[in-house]
Amino acid sequence: MTLDIVCNFRKCRKALTSQAWVTTCSHAFCVDHGKREFKRHIDNSLICPACNSELRDKFDVIQADLKPSETFKSIVLAGLKPDTIMDVAMRAISFWSYQIEQETLYQESLANHSKEKLQCLEEINTLNAQKLKAELDTAKRKIASLQEEFKKKKKQSDELTALLEEKTRKIQKLAFQLDAHKRRDIHGQNVSKNDNAAQCMDISELVGQRAASDAFVFKPMRDNEDSRQIFSPKTPIFDFRAKRKPSFQFRPLKS
Ligand SMILES: [Zn+2]
Ligand SMILES: [Zn+2]
């Protein structure tokens, strides 16, 4: 696995693969940030944006080719003594190790931050879970209570329905009885009307016969008298007794 160093500029962290600005304080920057930060001023005073080290010498910061050609590799250390070559190589390795160590620290910092955030989220999650569990338990108890109440109400409803059906049956029975009574009463009234009509007819005929023969006294019915006694066959309908002073005398016209 090949590790790439990244731009040390704050919040940049661009992977450096081909070109990079490197410093003697062991920091590296991308081309954009290198050009911007290491533009030489008149006094040649440069400041490393990562560690604020002063970079006075012209070789304190250079633009390096991270993918050197084979020719460059062959010539860059050519002619140097082995101890110098080893010294250069050791310094280059030290630069690399520092970058890897910084990257490791950064990743560990990120990991610790993420871990703390995760712990915080887990605590919040635990609290939320406890709260939800409490709400769920409350809801379950409420549901159980409502189910119990629903059973009671349903039982009452069934009882009331049964009572209503019984009352309805009684009302229907009473309605039939009332209807039967009405029919009987109507039939009785019709029979009574027919009897009265027959009696009226008899009385008219009788009055006509009496009027044709003699004068008679009309005796109105007293309040305490019963019509059945008056119209009974034993009692005369009209009183023709002359000795009793008539209060009203009917005289038919003679032709
Ligand atoms: Zn950068
Ligand atoms: Zn630096």
Side-chain angles (χ1 to χ4, degrees):
M1 186 178 71
T2 304
L3 292 175
D4 291 327
I5 58 175
V6 297
C7 176
N8 296 159
F9 194 82
R10 190 179 181 85
K11 293 185 178 177
C12 179
R13 298 189 50 75
K14 185 188 286 182
L16 306 175
T17 55
S18 57
Q19 296 286 326
W21 287 76
V22 292
T23 65
T24 49
C25 57
S26 298
H27 289 119
F29 302 93
C30 66
V31 175
D32 294 337
H33 285 116
K35 280 182 181 175
R36 195 182 73 186
E37 296 295 325
F38 301 127
K39 192 180 283 182
R40 289 280 176 186
H41 296 284
I42 299 170
D43 57 359
N44 284 340
S45 179
L46 296 176
I47 299 296
C48 173
C51 66
N52 293 325
S53 297
E54 199 171 359
L55 307 169
R56 290 181 175 276
D57 194 271
K58 68 175 181 181
F59 291 112
D60 278 347
V61 54
I62 62 167
Q63 189 169 5
D65 187 0
L66 303 182
K67 288 183 177 176
S69 64
E70 294 300 317
T71 306
F72 182 80
K73 288 180 190 175
S74 300
I75 201 67
V76 67
L77 296 176
L80 299 178
K81 292 180 179 176
D83 55 344
T84 307
I85 293 171
M86 289 303 294
D87 185 28
V88 172
M90 287 299 292
R91 293 183 187 218
I93 292 295
S94 176
F95 182 96
W96 176 263
S97 299
Y98 176 77
Q99 284 294 317
I100 296 302
E101 183 184 348
Q102 292 301 308
E103 180 63 17
T104 304
L105 290 174
Y106 176 79
Q107 294 296 342
E108 284 179 357
S109 172
L110 271 185
N112 289 332
H113 181 69
S114 298
K115 194 176 176 183
E116 288 174 3
K117 197 172 179 181
L118 181 64
Q119 285 178 348
C120 185
L121 289 173
E122 280 179 351
E123 288 176 4
I124 292 172
N125 189 37
T126 304
L127 289 174
N128 285 335
Q130 289 175 350
K131 188 178 174 184
L132 286 174
K133 189 175 180 304
E135 288 179 358
L136 183 64
D137 291 342
T138 305
K140 279 182 180 176
R141 284 196 295 274
K142 196 169 181 181
I143 288 170
S145 172
L146 286 172
Q147 283 177 339
E148 192 65 28
E149 192 174 347
F150 175 74
K151 282 181 184 173
K152 286 180 184 174
K153 295 289 183 188
K154 191 171 185 309
K155 189 179 176 186
Q156 288 178 355
S157 172
D158 291 343
E159 290 173 358
L160 286 172
T161 303
L163 195 62
L164 177 65
E165 288 175 354
E166 187 184 345
K167 295 286 183 188
T168 305
R169 279 196 298 273
K170 283 184 179 176
I171 288 170
Q172 286 177 347
K173 188 178 175 184
L174 287 171
F176 282 128
Q177 288 176 354
L178 180 64
D179 197 34
H181 279 300
K182 280 182 179 175
R183 280 199 297 272
R184 266 204 302 272
D185 288 347
I186 290 168
H187 179 69
Q189 284 175 4
N190 287 338
V191 170
S192 176
K193 278 180 185 176
N194 290 335
D195 290 347
N196 288 339
Q199 287 176 0
C200 286
M201 191 182 295
D202 293 339
I203 290 167
S204 301
E205 288 174 357
L206 188 60
V207 169
Q209 290 171 5
R210 295 285 184 181
S213 59
D214 291 310
F216 62 91
V217 177
F218 175 72
K219 183 187 175 187
M221 186 178 72
R222 288 190 294 270
D223 293 335
N224 57 354
E225 275 186 324
D226 191 353
S227 59
R228 283 173 298 187
Q229 292 175 348
I230 294 172
F231 293 109
S232 66
K234 293 176 183 176
T235 308
I237 297 169
F238 298 102
D239 188 3
F240 296 101
R241 288 168 294 186
K243 23 185 182 176
R244 193 170 173 181
K245 192 178 180 181
S247 58
F248 172 76
Q249 196 168 17
F250 177 74
R251 292 181 186 278
L253 291 173
K254 290 181 180 174
S255 58

